[in-house]
Amino acid sequence: MMFRWLLITLLVLFVALQYRLWFGEANLRQVWSLEQEIEQQREENQTLSLRNKQLEAEVRDLKTGLSALEERARSELGMIQEGETFFQLVEPGRSKSQSE
């Protein structure tokens, strides 16, 4: 008889602990979900870290090297050096009057 009560008590405790493990506060599903979020954040951080390194290298190159600054002035601002001749090539096509 004593063994039966002990067994029932242990079974009730086991069920209560299992309930808390699966459905209580900070349950396993939440832990797994948080682990997935952590992994996604790590991947995003790695991507952003790579981008930051590239930007840092570009800033360092712009501060120290004139070639990067010159390249940016040419491509973004359309500037040319003194003594250079600018040629603009236009592909042959229909004129305005023909396209209307």
Side-chain angles (χ1 to χ4, degrees), residues 10-58:
L10 288 175
L11 185 61
V12 168
L13 280 172
F14 178 74
V15 169
L17 289 173
Q18 285 296 312
Y19 177 82
R20 187 171 178 195
L21 177 69
W22 290 100
F23 303 109
E25 191 174 322
N27 59 45
L28 287 178
R29 282 183 282 162
Q30 285 178 331
V31 170
W32 293 333
S33 174
L34 289 174
E35 286 175 352
Q36 287 177 343
E37 287 181 32
I38 289 170
E39 186 59 35
Q40 289 173 350
Q41 189 64 50
R42 281 188 182 138
E43 290 173 7
E44 184 179 346
N45 287 351
Q46 188 175 17
T47 303
L48 292 174
S49 176
L50 178 61
R51 183 177 142 248
N52 286 347
K53 286 179 184 177
Q54 290 171 343
L55 289 173
E56 185 178 302
E58 186 177 343

Side-chain angles (χ1 to χ4, degrees), residues 63-78:
K63 284 183 177 180
T64 60
L66 293 178
S67 62
L69 187 60
E70 181 181 328
E71 177 187 339
R72 190 162 272 196
R74 288 176 184 273
S75 65
E76 293 180 10
L77 302 175

